[in-house]
């Protein structure tokens, strides 16, 4: 592949400049995209910089420049004729969904594509740039304060490098996947990234992230209510959920289920000022309502949702098959199935999991079902695991 020439990066600080840039980029077959944002002090990501690159343009857009109108960027991201290329796209896409109300489309995530192409689980951008672009990444500004102004020349160069190298990474991966007939596999993976619900945290489901081990449904009911309150309150105030109430304190709140300010203030990690403030009072109200719920309205323990416990031996056997399938097809094991998938495969006849649909079923899922029913056995040939058909 001929090496692409790198245009000189431009800093875009005017709306008219951005509009002109986006008009040019909309004539390109693909555009590489990255963002720099801050989230340490807020619930919602604070967009600071957007990097864009096409064949003739590399630009760093100051999203916080006075009077900056990002609407032309939204039009570019929505243009169906231009592929938007990201690396590890989820956080970037979340920002654009919040900003423009839509997910960029069509979309190509080089981290996902690299997993399909056999570069291992969650291949880093640095490693792909070294392997596919023959370059190295300057990490000096990885933890910069991107909200500080003015942006330095070295920050601009660093930011531009993310989308400059990404062009070569994309073209190399695309060529490799085309030769291997796996572009359709990547397209299937992009479907989940294009679904807006992927980026939306429903407060009523926030408790599941805490992965409680308790089987006490009354405790879980209060935990669900407290976690939902924290998620909604953190969104309202726009602060990280952990700064509002830490996970361990939230679990203690659920265990003690306080109904008064005094009781809440006694929970470790909860200050009296918080307990007596607006947030503390609203948390108590949520707890009181949760304690009134009838038994049938309480959540089931997470473990109970999985049905009968999976055989550890069968799960272990499925893990061997997973590793063998991934090795044979040169694809990352994590992309085929995770531990929960294997446990459900072991305990349910044909669960609704990603491993049993699309290309994953061809590569691993169908063999996993055959292994469970005795139609497939595992053996060893030399240094590799061998699949033996018994029927």
């Amino acid at each position: 592949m001929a090496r692409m020439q790198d245009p000189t990066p431009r800093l875009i600080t005017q709306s008219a400049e951005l509009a002109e840039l986006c008009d040019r980029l909309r004539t390109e077959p693909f555009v590489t995209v990255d963002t720099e944002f801050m989230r340490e002090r807020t619930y919602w990501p604070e967009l600071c910089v957007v990097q864009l690159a096409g064949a003739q343009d590399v630009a760093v857009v100051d999203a916080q420049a006075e009077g900056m109108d990002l609407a032309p960027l939204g039009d570019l991201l929505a243009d169906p004729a231009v592929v938007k290329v990201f690396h590890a796209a989820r956080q970037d896409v979340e920002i654009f969904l919040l900003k423009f109300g839509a997910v960029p489309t069509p979309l190509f995530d080089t981290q996902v594509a690299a997993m399909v192409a056999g570069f291992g689980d969650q291949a880093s951008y640095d490693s792909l740039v070294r392997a596919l672009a023959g370059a190295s990444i300057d990490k000096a500004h990885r933890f910069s304060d991107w909200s500080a102004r003015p942006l330095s020349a070295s920050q601009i160069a660093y930011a531009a490098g993310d989308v400059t190298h990404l062009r070569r990474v994309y073209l190399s991966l695309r060529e490799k996947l085309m030769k291997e007939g796996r572009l359709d596999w990547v397209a299937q993976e992009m479907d989940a990234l294009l679904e807006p619900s992927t980026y939306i945290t429903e407060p009523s489901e926030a408790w599941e992230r805490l992965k409680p081990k308790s089987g006490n449904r009354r405790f879980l009911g209060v935990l669900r209510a407290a976690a939902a309150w924290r998620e909604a309150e953190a969104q309202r105030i726009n602060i990280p959920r952990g700064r509002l109430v830490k996970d361990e304190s939230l679990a203690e709140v659920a265990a003690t289920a306080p109904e008064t300010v005094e009781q809440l203030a006694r929970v470790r990690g909860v200050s009296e000022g918080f307990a007596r403030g607006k947030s503390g009072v609203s948390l108590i109200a949520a707890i009181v309502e949760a304690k009134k719920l009838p038994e049938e309205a309480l959540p089931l323990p997470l473990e109970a949702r999985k049905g009968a416990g999976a055989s550890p031996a069968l799960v272990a056997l499925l893990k061997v098959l997973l590793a063998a399938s991934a090795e044979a097809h040169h694809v990352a094991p994590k992309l085929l199935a995770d531990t929960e998938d294997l446990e459900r495969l072991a305990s349910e006849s044909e669960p609704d999991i990603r491993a049993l649909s699309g290309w994953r079923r061809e590569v691993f899922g169908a063999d996993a079902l055959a292994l469970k029913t005795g139609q497939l056995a595992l053996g060893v040939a030399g240094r590799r695991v061998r699949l033996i058909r018994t029927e």
Side-chain angles (χ1 to χ4, degrees), residues 11 15 35 53-54 70 98 134 147 157 172 178 195-196 202 274 300 310:
L11 176 63
S15 299
T35 67
L70 293 176
L98 292 169
S147 65
S172 295
M178 283 184 66
E195 177 55 53
E202 293 294 340
F274 171 88
L300 290 171

Side-chain angles (χ1 to χ4, degrees), residues 217-230:
R217 295 183 66 190
R218 184 61 59 183
F219 164 81
L220 295 177
V222 176
L223 181 64
R224 179 178 63 184
W229 167 86
R230 182 178 68 165

